[in-house]
Amino acid sequence: MSEINIYRGDTTSLNLAITSGTSSSAKDLTDSTLFFTVKQKKSDSDDLAAIKKQTPTASGINITDATNGLATISLSSDETSELKTGPHWYDVQVKNSAGCISTVGTGKFIVATDITRRTS
């Protein structure tokens, strides 16, 4: 994972392939919780995050293949329409069944200006 680019106001799905350490083998996500957070500044509190998601699916992250480390993050147009354009920062963390937390991805989250703002 590195840079994610989206347009403000777009519905977007981000497909993740989560690996373990430096071996690049798939990280088993069975009984794990995934967290996805986007902030304008890395130092912002989680309360100030532009986007906060975690499993289960109803919260916006769906583990599509736990054994092979695959998941999808869904962002609705309502969620992205109020984002400020420009650079943000994101990370993805996994909390396993033993309660251990690891950061499995981080990078820039760039929100590009959309031209059309109307939806009807």
Side-chain angles (χ1 to χ4, degrees):
M1 288 182 231
S2 55
E3 190 169 284
I4 295 173
N5 293 277
I6 69 162
Y7 281 97
R8 178 181 58 193
D10 281 7
T11 300
T12 303
S13 292
L14 307 172
N15 295 313
L16 307 178
I18 299 171
T19 58
S20 294
T22 58
S23 69
S24 296
S25 61
K27 183 171 187 73
D28 189 345
L29 301 175
T30 303
D31 297 324
S32 294
T33 301
L34 269 62
F35 299 91
F36 176 72
T37 306
V38 176
K39 299 178 179 181
Q40 282 192 281
K41 294 186 298 185
K42 291 179 181 181
S43 60
D44 286 346
S45 70
D46 282 356
D47 290 338
L48 295 176
I51 298 171
K52 295 184 286 189
K53 297 202 170 265
Q54 70 184 67
T55 50
T57 302
S59 297
I61 301 178
N62 181 27
I63 297 175
T64 55
D65 184 343
T67 304
N68 291 307
L70 302 178
T72 300
I73 299 170
S74 300
L75 302 173
S76 71
S77 61
D78 287 340
E79 291 174 305
T80 65
S81 66
E82 298 303 318
L83 292 174
K84 292 184 179 182
T85 58
H88 295 66
W89 299 95
Y90 80 91
D91 76 0
V92 178
Q93 291 188 334
V94 175
K95 180 179 178 182
N96 68 18
S97 58
C100 298
I101 297 175
S102 59
T103 300
V104 295
T106 186
K108 281 188 177 180
F109 186 92
I110 308 296
V111 181
T113 304
D114 53 329
I115 305 303
T116 302
R117 295 298 309 248
R118 66 184 180 277
T119 58
S120 58

